[in-house]
């Protein structure tokens, strides 16, 4: 047993951390939140130059083939720095869907461009105002054309290609659609840096992803893999939100002493740490399951997802509490974590859905 | 990163499995598996005699206290090897609970502070279960504020004379020896006037009285000292350095307790798989599933955190205060799980008779025992202080007695 990342993986993580520290401060997030940019092009290009998008993509398809453990650590850094780039949609969702379900021709066409960051991808599922079940999907795919409306597509605003869950004559399928001739409209969400869009497909050209398959199970399989990577982003964010709270509590004085010396606040931050630590250990185990495509992946992914969602939501929420009134101003950065944590909690389906998946994955004699 | 056994680890595991199959007291398997939480009931067998016998069998075959040095009754095994042993020992490991305090807390203190002769004399018999040890720390007026303890030790020739009272001493009634922290100088600030000893529990003037606990069991004792004499040679560490010595014991206490953690998760999973509630089988109820997922994520997080600590140990790193999270999470979770399990059963959940209640009433036993888990070995609140101060680096709380000589500290009643 060796329950740790390799020195090589940690070295790559450190390089990404240094790049983001120097190039992806809160001002980048705010340039998207407050400005006209839909994402940070400079950060996206910088990551491309380092080959981060291609971390887990096989070299045959233009990737670095450094494996999923390394990608998990990259995700942690992206989450920690709240990077306003379409990385998660493009890499955890589109790339995973194409790799798992796509045909050889589709992989050869799309993976190299996704690996280099030249093309941005996403996964389009949600159509109605509730947690999606198969019956909610009414977008149709027939004779090479997609028709329907996807209500909220993460990074749909800037994606070049989407894997779309659509209804075919066989039931649901994943369909690959270039987004050059579709109507897209920005849709406001709790985290405006996630580039969410409503996309209308009207006789839009598309093709079935790979061979005939069950689209809902194919999507769920992608979600299981993506859940591990999102969990690492959540972990990174939770850790920074806690650091921010601790840093503030050491410097801010009230009643003649640092507020971090009051047990009411210390114990709150201890609980944040506990949630973070539990999530971190579950994430490590899930990273191993992802890398090895282990039988335990479904359970490990749901477990990491549940505890990382809990940890990020708790840490971002109580970071505001530690900051008091200042934490609720637009000027302070606490709400950036709060926004991101609450968007990421929903992006693959909410906590309740993942709790349900976790219990379904439990072995009978747990 | 690798969770599966290496070839060597798998071979070692196989060796243990074979040995356990051939030597474990399999007639105890059933009673140990269904035994109530918090105390062992063995269907007419004497738990202490069975525990000592199993420990002796293990020691003779070289399976006791694996990670200890060979000279002191162990095998010098790696942390991973002793984890594999614990996994394979499984349900029989409950028999070792009688020795946890001695082997897990007293022994590390003895290894660090006792003389070579003393180590040779005491440690092998502690490993083999021939002699049981206890830890005499808490007092009626000093629990969380342990350094405020009042039991006096006064020098008289080559001896120290002890007067005072300890409380919450687990297993004192079964113990041959104990480690004891005392106040030797009341005129200096409280942490500086303490000294540690070990003593023979049969010494004249030692009076052990069991405490009847809130759950009806009696695992703990009060221990009174009336002019008990301890030779100076049994002092552990310098005079006035008892606090430093105690930190060795307490860090190991958190590791020992954190290592074998009970959360109640397997018990509630077994219950809800079978139990019928208004909406059908309980496991299919959304409210049940939500709670179950939360508890599984926490217990799995603890298991994986422990595995990371072992991984760190095996690389020669020292596990830090972050391991305080184990008991903090498990104690509260067990209490919540127990309460919810009873809730699902309606009034029948109140039945504590193991012959009648579901799951041999283990969940009811957890309900009644869990308040103690959240107190013993550091209360939830003290653990949060440790995490926030030693892990997060937050400032200490204001202490009204800081720097004050012990005998000037206000005591209330």
């Amino acid at each position: 047993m060796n329950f740790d990342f390799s020195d090589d993986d940690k070295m790559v993580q450190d390089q990404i951390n240094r790049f983001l520290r120097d190039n992806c401060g809160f001002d980048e997030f705010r340039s998207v939140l407050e400005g006209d940019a839909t994402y940070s092009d400079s950060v996206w290009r910088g990551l491309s130059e380092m080959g981060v998008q291609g971390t887990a993509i096989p070299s045959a398809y233009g990737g670095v083939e450094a494996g999923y453990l390394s990608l998990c650590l990259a995700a942690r850094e992206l989450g920690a720095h709240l990077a306003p780039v379409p990385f998660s949609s493009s890499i955890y969702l589109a790339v995973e869907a194409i790799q798992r379900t796509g045909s050889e021709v589709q992989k050869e066409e799309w993976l190299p461009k996704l690996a280099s960051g030249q093309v941005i991808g996403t996964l389009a599922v949600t159509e109605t105002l509730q947690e999606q079940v198969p019956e909610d999907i009414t977008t149709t795919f027939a004779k090479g054309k997609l028709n329907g409306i996807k209500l909220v597509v993460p990074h749909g605003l800037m994606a070049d290609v989407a894997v779309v869950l659509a209804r075919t004559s066989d039931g649901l399928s994943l369909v690959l659609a270039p987004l050059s001739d579709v109507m897209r409209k920005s849709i406001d969400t709790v985290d405006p840096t996630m580039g969410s869009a409503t996309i209308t497909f009207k006789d839009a050209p598309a093709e079935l992803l790979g061979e005939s398959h069950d689209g809902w199970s194919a999507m769920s399989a992608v979600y299981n893999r993506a859940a591990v990577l999102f969990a690492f982003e959540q972990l990174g964010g939770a850790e920074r939100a806690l650091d921010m709270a601790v840093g503030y509590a050491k410097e801010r004085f009230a009643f003649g002493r640092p507020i971090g010396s009051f047990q009411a606040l210390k114990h709150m931050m201890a609980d944040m740490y506990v949630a973070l630590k539990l999530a971190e250990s579950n994430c490590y185990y899930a990273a191993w399951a992802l890398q090895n495509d282990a039988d335990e992946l479904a359970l490990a992914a749901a477990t990491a997802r549940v505890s990382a969602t809990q940890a990020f939501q708790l840490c971002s929420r109580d970071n505001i509490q530690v900051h008091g009134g200042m934490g609720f101003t637009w000027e302070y950065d606490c709400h950036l974590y709060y926004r991101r944590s609450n968007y990421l909690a929903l992006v693959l389906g909410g906590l309740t859905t993942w709790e349900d998946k976790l219990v379904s994955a439990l072995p009978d004699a747990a | 990163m690798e969770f599966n056994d290496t070839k060597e680890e798998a071979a070692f595991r196989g060796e243990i499995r074979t040995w356990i199959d051939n030597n474990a007291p399999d007639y105890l398997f059933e009673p140990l598996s269904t035994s109530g939480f918090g105390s062992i009931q063995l269907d007419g067998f004497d738990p202490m005699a069975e525990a000592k016998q199993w420990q002796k069998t293990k020691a003779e075959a070289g399976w006791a206290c694996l990670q200890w040095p060979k000279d002191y009754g162990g095998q010098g095994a790696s942390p991973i090897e002793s984890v594999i042993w614990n996994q394979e020992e499984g349900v029989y490991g409950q028999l070792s609970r009688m020795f946890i305090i001695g082997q897990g807390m007293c022994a590390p203190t003895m290894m660090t502070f006792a003389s070579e002769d003393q180590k040779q004399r005491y440690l092998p018999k502690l490993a083999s279960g021939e002699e049981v040890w206890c830890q005499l720390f808490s007092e009626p007026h000093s629990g969380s504020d342990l350094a405020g303890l009042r039991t006096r030790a006064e020098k008289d020739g080559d001896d120290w004379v002890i007067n005072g009272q300890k409380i919450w001493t687990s297993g004192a009634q079964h113990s041959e020896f104990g480690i004891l922290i005392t106040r030797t100088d009341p005129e200096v600030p409280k942490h500086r006037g303490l000294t540690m000893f070990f003593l023979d529990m049969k010494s004249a003037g030692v009076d052990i009285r069991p405490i009847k606990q809130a759950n009806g069991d009696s695992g703990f004792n009060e221990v009174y000292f009336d002019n008990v004499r301890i030779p100076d040679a049994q002092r552990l560490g310098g005079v006035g350095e008892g606090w430093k010595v105690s930190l060795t014991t307490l860090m190991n206490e958190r590791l020992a307790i954190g290592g074998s953690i009970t959360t109640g998760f397997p018990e509630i999973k077994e219950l809800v798989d079978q139990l019928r509630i208004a909406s059908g089988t309980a496991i299919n109820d959304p409210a049940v599933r939500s709670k179950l997922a939360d508890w599984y994520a926490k217990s799995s997080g603890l298991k994986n955190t422990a595995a990371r600590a072992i991984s760190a140990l095996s690389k020669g790193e020292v596990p830090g205060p972050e391991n305080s999270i184990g008991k903090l999470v498990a104690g509260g979770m067990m209490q919540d799980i127990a309460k919810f399990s009873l809730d699902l059963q309606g009034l029948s959940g109140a039945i504590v008779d193991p012959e009648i209640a579901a799951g041999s009433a283990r969940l009811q036993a957890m309900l009644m025992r869990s308040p103690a888990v959240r107190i013993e070995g550091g209360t939830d609140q003290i653990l949060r202080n440790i995490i926030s101060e030693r892990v997060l680096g937050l400032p200490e709380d204001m202490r009204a007695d800081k720097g004050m000589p012990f005998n000037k500290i206000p005591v209330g009643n």
Side-chain angles (χ1 to χ4, degrees):
Chain A
M1 188 178 76
N2 174 22
F3 203 164
D4 200 1
F5 289 88
S6 71
D7 289 343
D8 282 355
D9 288 338
K10 287 186 200 164
M11 209 170 73
V12 173
Q13 179 188 16
D14 188 49
Q15 281 166 1
I16 298 171
N17 174 31
R18 271 183 285 138
F19 167 74
L20 292 172
R21 189 193 59 205
D22 297 343
N23 298 283
C24 189
F26 290 130
D27 50 330
E28 285 298 314
F29 190 101
R30 284 184 181 272
S31 74
V32 175
L33 183 67
E34 297 163 2
D36 293 331
T38 54
Y39 69 102
S40 169
D41 187 51
S42 61
V43 172
W44 183 250
R45 275 188 286 109
L47 292 168
S48 293
E49 280 158 26
M50 297 169 73
V52 184
Q53 284 90 334
T55 302
I57 297 175
S59 53
Y61 302 115
V64 179
E65 203 170 319
Y68 284 93
L69 295 179
S70 190
L71 185 58
C72 285
L73 294 181
R76 184 172 186 158
E77 292 308 319
L78 292 162
H81 291 88
L82 298 173
V85 289
F87 196 94
S88 55
S89 298
S90 200
I91 306 304
Y92 317 155
L93 293 171
V95 166
E96 286 303 315
I98 294 169
Q99 281 213 98
R100 283 191 66 85
T101 311
S103 68
E104 194 52 39
V105 173
Q106 288 164 337
K107 289 189 214 175
E108 279 170 13
E109 181 182 356
W110 292 103
L111 291 180
K113 290 185 240 173
L114 288 159
S116 68
Q118 176 197 342
V119 155
I120 293 165
T122 188
L123 177 64
V125 176
T126 303
E127 298 188 16
T128 57
L129 287 170
Q130 65 260 325
E131 184 75 283
Q132 298 295 279
V133 292
E135 294 70 46
D136 291 315
I137 308 302
T138 59
T139 293
T140 57
F141 172 69
K143 297 179 182 145
K145 304 285 184 197
L146 260 178
N147 280 287
I149 300 173
K150 291 292 179 184
L151 178 64
V152 48
V153 181
H155 301 113
L157 216 46
M158 65 288 278
D160 304 295
V161 61
V163 173
V164 180
L165 183 64
R167 197 159 288 284
T168 64
S169 51
D170 290 347
L172 294 179
S173 294
L174 294 179
V175 171
L176 190 65
L179 297 178
S180 35
D181 289 315
V182 296
M183 248 178 48
R184 47 184 134 193
K185 190 168 163 283
S186 173
I187 185 165
D188 290 339
T189 67
V190 292
D191 184 352
T193 68
M194 291 297 289
S196 306
T198 299
I199 301 184
T200 305
F201 297 94
K202 202 170 169 197
D203 286 333
E207 60 190 51
L208 193 66
L209 188 63
E211 307 283 311
S212 166
H213 62 267
D214 171 9
W216 190 264
S217 339
M219 178 197 76
S220 301
V222 171
Y223 273 13
N224 278 348
R225 300 179 68 78
V228 181
L229 298 159
F230 274 107
F232 271 90
E233 283 209 7
Q234 292 170 305
L235 186 63
E239 188 167 42
R240 285 302 169 94
L242 173 57
D243 284 352
M244 201 171 158
V246 168
Y248 187 76
K250 286 178 183 170
E251 283 169 15
R252 167 88 178 183
F253 274 63
F255 304 99
R257 55 199 269 206
I259 61 169
S261 66
F262 290 106
Q263 287 190 335
L265 292 186
K266 287 164 82 164
H267 289 190
M268 184 191 276
M269 286 182 269
D271 287 340
M272 290 157 79
Y273 175 81
V274 168
L276 173 71
K277 212 67 199 168
L278 294 174
E280 183 179 65
S281 297
N282 284 330
C283 280
Y284 274 37
Y285 183 68
W288 170 82
L290 177 65
Q291 166 74 19
N292 295 286
D293 216 354
D295 292 342
E296 295 89 342
L297 179 63
L299 179 58
T303 307
R305 171 73 175 162
V306 166
S307 55
T309 298
Q310 289 175 336
F312 196 12
Q313 287 192 311
L314 180 75
C315 289
S316 69
R317 182 194 83 177
D318 286 345
N319 179 37
I320 296 179
Q321 191 66 20
V322 168
H323 278 74
M326 293 310 292
F328 191 61
T329 60
W330 185 263
E331 181 194 348
Y332 267 57
D333 295 313
C334 303
H335 68 106
L336 310 189
Y337 288 102
Y338 191 63
R339 289 174 179 282
R340 182 61 64 83
S341 72
N342 284 294
Y343 192 101
L344 292 187
L346 305 172
V347 79
L348 303 171
L351 183 60
T352 314
T353 298
W354 283 95
E355 287 173 341
D356 187 65
K357 287 188 196 213
L358 187 161
V359 175
S360 299
L362 284 175
D364 279 339
Chain B
M1 197 179 290
E2 186 48 76
F3 285 90
N4 296 326
D5 285 342
T6 63
K7 220 192 266 174
E8 293 76 23
E9 286 162 1
F12 187 67
R13 190 183 295 280
E15 192 188 335
I16 295 171
R17 205 167 280 181
T18 310
W19 187 83
I20 288 189
D21 281 350
N22 294 330
N23 295 280
D26 48 12
Y27 53 93
L28 296 177
F29 185 87
E30 202 50 43
L32 280 171
S33 306
T34 56
S35 190
F37 176 75
S39 65
I40 295 184
Q41 286 103 30
L42 294 183
D43 273 353
F45 295 101
D46 171 13
M48 196 65 205
E50 294 296 334
K52 285 198 163 195
Q53 183 52 50
W54 176 229
Q55 196 65 27
K56 186 167 173 239
T57 308
K58 289 193 290 183
E60 283 167 358
W63 293 114
C65 299
L66 276 182
Q67 74 282 19
W68 290 14
K70 284 194 170 168
D71 285 354
Y72 307 142
Q75 294 294 324
S78 70
I80 301 280
E81 287 172 327
S82 65
V83 169
I84 294 174
W85 167 267
N86 287 337
Q87 288 169 346
E88 294 303 319
E89 188 179 16
V91 71
Y92 302 110
Q94 286 192 57
L95 289 169
S96 313
R97 281 221 307 252
M98 321 269 185
F99 308 112
I100 283 182
I101 304 255
Q103 294 172 350
M105 301 167 216
C106 301
T109 312
M110 290 291 284
M111 280 189 211
T112 313
F113 298 99
S115 72
E116 189 53 40
D117 284 352
Q118 288 167 337
K119 288 192 254 189
Q120 302 271 2
R121 154 65 187 87
Y122 294 104
L123 291 173
K125 289 189 177 178
L126 177 46
S128 69
E130 190 181 335
E131 291 171 350
V132 178
W133 285 58
C134 62
Q135 171 200 307
L136 299 141
F137 278 25
S138 293
E139 296 186 7
H141 290 91
S142 63
S144 291
D145 182 14
L146 178 63
L149 61 91
R150 301 176 183 180
T151 294
R152 285 299 313 271
E154 287 163 301
K155 192 80 190 285
D156 181 28
D158 285 340
D159 287 346
W160 293 81
V161 179
I162 316 294
N163 282 288
Q165 183 196 351
K166 295 286 173 178
I167 194 170
W168 302 119
T169 312
S170 317
Q173 74 275 40
H174 304 299
S175 293
E176 274 76 23
F177 298 94
I179 59 173
L180 169 72
I181 187 161
T182 62
R183 182 160 307 280
T184 41
D185 186 354
E187 289 175 9
V188 295
K190 61 183 183 181
H191 292 92
R192 284 195 249 141
L194 304 175
T195 304
M196 187 80 79
F197 300 93
F198 71 90
L199 85 158
D200 185 338
M201 292 297 285
K202 307 287 184 292
S203 305
V206 176
D207 182 17
I208 300 165
R209 302 179 200 165
I211 300 169
K212 185 160 185 183
Q213 300 154 207
N215 66 344
D217 286 346
S218 289
F220 299 101
N221 301 275
E222 293 178 295
V223 182
Y224 291 84
F225 295 87
D226 180 16
N227 288 315
V228 175
R229 299 188 78 86
I230 302 180
D232 186 54
Q234 290 177 203
R235 176 164 45 78
L236 296 169
V239 174
E241 297 195 342
W243 184 249
K244 223 171 64 192
V245 179
S246 77
L247 293 182
T248 308
T249 317
L250 292 176
M251 195 57 229
N252 280 290
E253 174 168 31
R254 280 189 283 272
L255 275 180
I257 290 178
S260 58
I261 218 131
T262 305
T263 61
F265 186 83
E267 284 82 0
I268 192 173
K269 176 68 168 48
E270 192 188 323
L271 178 77
V272 298
D273 274 340
Q274 309 289 333
L275 187 71
R276 190 176 45 76
I277 61 175
S279 60
T281 308
I283 181 92
N284 296 322
D285 184 87
V288 172
R289 291 173 85 79
S290 174
K291 284 175 187 288
L292 215 55
D294 177 46
W295 290 322
Y296 179 80
K298 287 191 169 74
S299 61
S300 153
L302 289 182
K303 201 179 93 189
N304 290 325
T305 301
R308 289 174 62 196
I310 293 152
S311 216
L313 264 176
S314 68
K315 289 183 198 163
E317 295 162 26
V318 181
E322 65 271 13
N323 289 294
S324 301
I325 73 167
K327 195 180 79 77
L328 177 59
V329 174
M333 177 168 32
M334 184 200 293
Q335 200 164 32
D336 291 345
I337 284 177
K339 182 173 78 91
F340 187 62
S341 302
L342 270 57
D343 174 78
L344 290 172
Q345 300 171 64
L347 183 56
S348 299
I351 301 171
V352 297
D353 186 338
E355 300 291 324
I356 300 169
S360 309
R362 278 176 66 80
L363 286 155
Q364 284 78 3
M366 285 182 189
L367 179 83
M368 296 310 295
R369 182 61 173 75
S370 53
V373 179
R374 299 183 52 202
I375 295 166
E376 62 197 356
T379 64
D380 284 4
Q381 289 67 34
I382 288 290
L383 295 177
R384 287 192 176 93
N385 280 352
I386 290 171
I387 291 167
S388 51
E389 290 172 19
R390 295 198 217 148
V391 181
L392 300 177
L394 287 164
E396 276 188 6
D397 201 356
M398 302 270 259
R399 292 184 186 190
D401 60 3
K402 191 153 190 149
M404 203 181 274
F406 174 75
N407 55 12
K408 299 282 189 298
I409 296 173
V411 292
N413 291 307

